[in-house]
Amino acid sequence: MDSSANPQAARVSSTAVDTYTIGECARRSGFTMDTLRYYERIGLIEDIARTPTGQRRFTDDHLEWLSVLKCLRDTGMPVEQMHRFATLARDGDHTIPERIAILQAHKLAVDARMDDLAAKRDYLLGKIDYYKSVA
Amino acid sequence: MDSSANPQAARVSSTAVDTYTIGECARRSGFTMDTLRYYERIGLIEDIARTPTGQRRFTDDHLEWLSVLKCLRDTGMPVEQMHRFATLARDGDHTIPERIAILQAHKLAVDARMDDLAAKRDYLLGKIDYYKSVA
DNA sequence: GTAGGACCTGGAGTGGACTCCAGCGCAAAC
DNA sequence: GTTTGCGCTGGAGTCCACTCCAGGTCCTAC
């Protein structure tokens, strides 16, 4: 897990800003390389720099953005809605109210999901107790 | 929503036990008719009686079983594992320990999912607050 | 007896989100 | 300077869990 073990320097320090290969970015973000490429293709990640030979170089800004995407994805937001959010994020500060609205609506959905899970977890516990009582 | 409004009697009372058409069963269980047929096909539901002309007749036992399936499905259990559980349930009381084990393992998975959702919900709230602070 | 909705079957199609592949070009370490 | 492994592309394939369809039968009410 030590990045110095990589034959190819995964973390590349140029003049001012650290950049990461797609492999390192995958490791740090929790997405696979394929998913990162896929997200770039469909417009969820933008402005990924390339080396003269075409390799991607991700930045800390990308990692931060990816942590947002990961949160949204893992809480069940559809890609299409993430895309809407990404578009707004690219369009500047005047879209902040709409971004807030999206996040709040999504938070409500997450709350509902958690409530549903909690209820079903209880049902599960009841089943387990029942089985134990007849075992 | 009154079943007497159905042109075809959805709830059929024969001699001893109430039975339900697939439409009524769908309405009561929360699954679609297609899903019920699909579940029968893959062996998640068994012993569905048929009228002489081939129509399915579900019982209250089926509805109870379907509520279990619904709980498992809605908490993210894969169909294959539900199938394993269904097989055990069909095989008699001596499988109860394994059924308990499955449910307990699944409950742990649900707990983990809930914890993850809770953490990500907090992250979301933080984002919302941040956006509000700069809006 | 006829209209209109419910139900049947087997099989094909869908949607979402990746995931994999071939065939290739680079990079770094020795 | 070669080996080993990372990364590239475009496009095809996968997985899961349904969902839909055509073409037919059946049921109930009027």
Side-chain angles (χ1 to χ4, degrees):
Chain A
M1 290 306 145
D2 177 21
S3 72
S4 67
N6 288 349
Q8 181 171 343
R11 182 169 186 167
V12 184
S13 181
S14 60
T15 15
V17 76
D18 281 349
T19 63
Y20 312 96
T21 64
I22 194 170
E24 181 67 6
C25 183
R27 208 181 59 68
R28 290 181 185 234
S29 68
F31 290 109
T32 67
M33 294 193 299
D34 269 324
T35 299
L36 290 173
R37 294 194 195 100
Y38 167 65
Y39 279 3
E40 182 191 26
R41 220 186 311 175
I42 65 175
L44 280 188
I45 317 172
E46 297 210 320
D47 302 321
I48 304 172
R50 299 291 186 125
T51 64
T53 60
Q55 291 198 0
R56 291 171 183 82
R57 287 295 180 266
F58 293 84
T59 66
D60 285 318
D61 283 352
H62 287 123
L63 285 177
E64 205 173 319
W65 173 238
L66 285 169
S67 74
V68 176
L69 288 186
K70 190 145 209 316
C71 171
L72 295 178
R73 182 193 75 164
D74 289 353
T75 49
M77 182 181 283
V79 160
E80 192 175 323
Q81 209 176 335
M82 288 198 284
H83 190 261
R84 172 81 188 131
F85 190 77
T87 303
L88 291 173
R90 189 168 38 68
D91 278 1
D93 285 355
H94 71 280
T95 67
I96 285 181
E98 188 172 349
R99 280 185 261 167
I100 290 175
I102 288 178
L103 294 185
Q104 280 177 334
H106 185 58
K107 182 224 156 228
L108 288 182
V110 173
D111 285 345
R113 177 88 186 106
M114 288 178 65
D115 289 350
D116 189 55
L117 276 185
K120 273 155 184 159
R121 194 195 92 113
D122 286 351
Y123 182 100
L124 230 41
L125 285 177
K127 266 285 158 196
I128 290 170
D129 282 352
Y130 167 74
Y131 274 141
K132 279 184 176 165
S133 77
V134 299
Chain B
M1 291 304 147
D2 176 22
S3 73
S4 68
N6 288 347
Q8 182 170 344
R11 180 170 188 167
V12 183
S13 180
S14 60
T15 14
V17 76
D18 280 350
T19 64
Y20 311 96
T21 64
I22 193 170
E24 181 67 6
C25 183
R27 208 180 60 68
R28 289 181 185 234
S29 68
F31 290 109
T32 66
M33 294 193 299
D34 270 324
T35 299
L36 291 173
R37 294 194 195 100
Y38 166 66
Y39 279 4
E40 182 192 24
R41 219 186 311 174
I42 65 176
L44 280 188
I45 318 172
E46 297 210 320
D47 301 320
I48 304 173
R50 298 293 186 123
T51 65
T53 59
Q55 291 198 1
R56 291 170 183 82
R57 286 296 179 266
F58 293 84
T59 65
D60 284 318
D61 283 353
H62 287 123
L63 284 178
E64 205 173 319
W65 173 240
L66 285 170
S67 74
V68 176
L69 288 185
K70 189 143 210 316
C71 171
L72 296 179
R73 182 193 75 164
D74 290 352
T75 50
M77 182 182 283
V79 160
E80 192 174 323
Q81 209 176 334
M82 289 198 283
H83 191 261
R84 171 84 188 130
F85 189 77
T87 303
L88 292 173
R90 189 167 37 69
D91 278 359
D93 285 356
H94 70 280
T95 67
I96 285 181
E98 188 173 350
R99 280 185 262 166
I100 290 175
I102 289 177
L103 294 185
Q104 279 177 335
H106 184 58
K107 181 222 155 233
L108 287 182
V110 173
D111 285 346
R113 177 88 187 104
M114 286 178 65
D115 288 351
D116 189 55
L117 276 184
K120 273 157 183 159
R121 194 194 92 113
D122 286 351
Y123 182 100
L124 231 38
L125 285 177
K127 267 284 158 197
I128 291 171
D129 281 352
Y130 167 74
Y131 274 141
K132 279 185 175 164
S133 78
V134 299

